[in-house]
Amino acid sequence: MTCGGIQAHSRGPSNGNPFPRAPCLASRPGKATMESPRRAPSCRRRLVGKLKVHGYKGVKFQNWARTYGCCPEMYFQPTSVEEVREVLALARQQNKRVKVVGGGHSPSDIACTDGFMIHMGKMNRVLKVDTEKKQVTVEAGILLADLHPQLDKHGLALSNLGAVSDVTAGGVIGSGTHNTGIKHGILATQVVALTLLTANGTILECSESSNAEVFQAARVHLGCLGVILTVTLQCVPQFHLQETTFPSTLKEVLDNLDSHLKKSEYFRFLWFPHSENVSVIYQDHTNKPPSSSANWFWDYAIGFYLLEFLLWISTFLPGLVGWINRFFFWLLFNGKKENCNLSHKIFTYECRFKQHVQDWAIPREKTKEALLELKAMLEANPKVVAHYPVEVRFTRGDDILLSPCFQRDSCYMNIIMYRPYGKDVPRLDYWLAYETIMKKVGGRPHWAKAHNCTRKDFEKMYPAFQRFCAIREKLDPTGMFLNAYLEKVFY
């Protein structure tokens, strides 16, 4: 799940990205906020059968951006498949709903529940590395940030990654996380096998050759098919990337979009609303040694602390937003920057700002039309302000039932409104106009991010929606894995 970020002037503290693509700084582990179960005011233990299942009361969950939260009735941190099965048995016995949570980065309520919550953080082992097939099998609770150094030891890497690695393997596929690269699919396309524990306690081994229909659904599972236990990922030989960032204009990029897509394997661009300014980012394989232009003064003093202060001022004087966007483009993005490093250190970056974010996938050929209409809307409505950037990325089509890229090459258009010092910024007019444009051009929302779509919308958006619903109802007939977010999707 991305932070919708700014890839700024290529120098991040951890990867040479300047203000890594988006001011979104998350200190490790970058997870959701949880009141520690050990300190919870009233925790208790239950016994089910012969196994101890440790359930805790009084735990409060908040997603990373602190935009959504919940108080589950019971909170579990299982360490084995048997313990997960016991939680599900207890849920069936007491007619409770269950939600599984990973890193908690999703900027929506997709992980929230008032029933049982299962945190998979203690099921985080690397189970097998097959260097011949270049595949790795992991428990679903492992953070990608912890997987990268393990792959480094074996000379392997994932061919593509999202902007944030403080997310779990099970969660990152479940929400349809993506990056960019028209030759690359969403991250779930790298999954070659998985195991799924269903509501009745059955374990399904899923791949293209075993339970193929469930596999086609479970690679973007939304947390509603069962508990993902293990994931097998197809890797590639370890590689380095050179990231080149340079300024351009919206007209130039849109007029030469196909050329940009051909020039760089991982091409994206950032448009600065209320201006013509664009920052183009190329990321490509390289043999050059690691290099970085990271600088605390520009990355943090200017790119974070000054920006947050100015954004806070703009909550009283909204007219400043356009000036802020143009000023920071001139200050941080108006020159060419280059950085080289291992692929995962270039792909990922720190999330600095808490934020509200939307991210829809539209047909690639609609990119120009949608962006120009969004720009025209902002120009026609000067009271509607938009923070920078609008991040534009490109992804190959696939055959995963609820992938936003199902059967079409796609453009992801990510909009963002930051929350300086935790303060909410008026955004609803911007959000509504953006969603209207996205629907008009055939868009599909990112599953991890907030949206206003209902089942009627998804039935129109997804040719395979009914097939997914049939699989879900077969695997979870009582709706154990549903919550308020998913009820809007399926009912």
Side-chain angles (χ1 to χ4, degrees), residues 8 21 24 27 36 38 49 73 87 108 156 192 204 219 227 261-262 350 357 360 369 390 422 424:
R21 287 186 291 277
C24 18
S27 56
S36 171
R38 293 180 180 177
E73 180 179 340
V87 176
S108 73
L156 297 175
V192 295
L204 298 180
R219 283 185 290 170
V227 181
L261 285 165
K262 291 175 182 177
E350 291 180 289
V357 59
W360 285 52
E369 175 186 341
V390 172
D424 274 334

Side-chain angles (χ1 to χ4, degrees), residues 127-146:
L127 300 176
K128 180 182 179 181
V129 178
D130 188 329
T131 53
E132 184 175 339
K133 292 183 178 179
K134 298 181 178 63
Q135 294 177 355
V136 60
T137 301
V138 298
E139 290 183 311
I142 192 171
L143 293 175
L144 295 189
D146 294 328

